[in-house]
Amino acid sequence: MISVAPMARPGAPMARRNPVAKLAAALVFSLLLIATLDPVTPAIAIAIELVVLPLFGIRYRMLARRAWPLLASAGGILVTLVLFAADRSGRVLVEAGPILVTEGVLLTALGLVLRMLAVALPGVIVFATTDPTDLADALIQNAKAPARFAIGALAAFRLVPLLEQEWRMISMARRARGVDAGRNPVAKVRLFVSTAFALLVGAIRRGTRLAVAMDARGFDAGIPRTVARRQRFTRADGLLVAGAAVLAGAALAVSVALDTFRPLIG
């Protein structure tokens, strides 16, 4: 079942931090990792993220359950790049017919996959420890985001679990009408695409109705809105953002010291 509710232990020290602070720390930590193409920096960043994970009240099994689509995508990207990359420089590691794996293409693929994981994991941690309503309130109060944007994003988060229910409903309705792919892989792909298109159409209709309802309730008005729950940005929240920047800088410094740093530009 798709869930957007926080899954972390509420009493964890980092889970109690301001949602905007956690989001800013994730952005700062991720943006600094994009500056390099080497696999060492993102590998160190992933190690740091896994070490601080208990401070956010998240168990490793819970993280794996939340991030398994990301891990599956990373594996697919790694295999695709290793098999079909144009650059085949470096020492040959594996040569079997049309398959040629070199040291250069393996380092490039590992760097890309590890960087993707290192950039995406902070976002997974943030949303696993943050209630969507608290995030919307904090965006309005601390980040000065427009109320229409923040409440619209909150409504979108709340509607995410309905996608799984609607997918199941469409599949059951088609099965009741005798539309089934059986063991035919081509038919399965065709049925998946048509179901996804029907789900997309339903999501657009639901979003349109939601936007009309929000406008009818004055979310487009220029009158300042009040919030029910106060979100305070404290010194500890600022230290969290600064600590994320320091840790990301340390990962880059280790890469430079090991002479593996490969700048994205230049």
Side-chain angles (χ1 to χ4, degrees):
M1 179 66 184
I2 299 176
S3 175
V4 296
M7 300 179 64
R9 182 166 47 88
M14 294 303 179
R16 299 196 307 265
R17 298 275 62 85
N18 186 284
V20 168
K22 290 187 285 186
L23 187 61
L27 290 175
V28 169
F29 191 81
S30 301
L31 288 177
L32 289 178
L33 299 178
I34 303 178
T36 179
L37 297 174
D38 69 281
V40 175
T41 303
I44 297 174
I46 292 174
I48 293 173
E49 293 163 3
L50 294 179
V51 167
V52 303
L53 195 63
L55 297 177
F56 287 88
I58 303 177
R59 295 188 299 271
Y60 293 104
R61 183 180 299 178
M62 182 188 302
L63 178 66
R65 191 164 61 246
R66 276 284 182 105
W68 73 263
L70 182 65
L71 297 175
S73 301
I77 292 174
L78 179 63
V79 173
T80 302
L81 288 177
V82 168
L83 295 180
F84 302 107
D87 183 16
R88 298 290 172 176
S89 59
R91 184 166 55 92
V92 176
L93 300 177
V94 177
E95 185 175 4
I99 300 176
L100 178 64
V101 180
T102 65
E103 193 175 63
V105 71
L106 186 60
L107 286 176
T108 302
L110 281 176
L112 179 60
V113 169
L114 290 175
R115 190 164 67 253
M116 183 191 73
L117 291 174
V119 169
L121 279 179
V124 175
I125 295 173
V126 168
F127 287 103
T129 60
T130 306
D131 182 76
T133 303
D134 291 338
L135 178 59
D137 289 342
L139 286 174
I140 296 172
Q141 298 175 55
N142 305 126
K144 306 304 179 184
R148 187 182 189 187
F149 166 77
I151 304 301
L154 171 61
F157 273 116
R158 293 301 187 193
L159 290 176
V160 166
L162 295 179
L163 296 178
E164 183 180 3
Q165 299 177 11
E166 191 166 349
W167 181 281
R168 188 181 296 113
M169 189 182 303
I170 294 173
S171 301
M172 292 174 61
R174 292 188 171 184
R175 194 175 297 115
R177 296 199 307 267
V179 181
D180 193 2
R183 297 184 179 181
N184 189 339
V186 177
K188 285 185 177 180
V189 172
R190 190 178 302 164
L191 186 60
F192 176 85
V193 172
S194 62
T195 305
F197 181 75
L199 187 67
L200 176 62
V201 172
I204 293 175
R205 289 176 177 173
R206 188 179 294 111
T208 302
R209 291 195 298 267
L210 178 63
V212 173
M214 289 178 64
D215 285 343
R217 285 163 175 80
F219 280 90
D220 198 24
I223 302 174
R225 305 185 66 86
T226 59
V227 289
R229 291 187 282 189
R230 181 68 177 168
Q231 299 291 333
R232 301 185 182 277
F233 196 95
T234 63
R235 181 179 299 179
D237 298 318
L239 290 176
L240 174 61
V241 179
V246 170
L247 290 175
L252 288 174
V254 171
S255 177
V256 173
L258 296 176
D259 199 23
T260 58
F261 182 74
R262 295 170 55 194
L264 182 64
I265 301 176

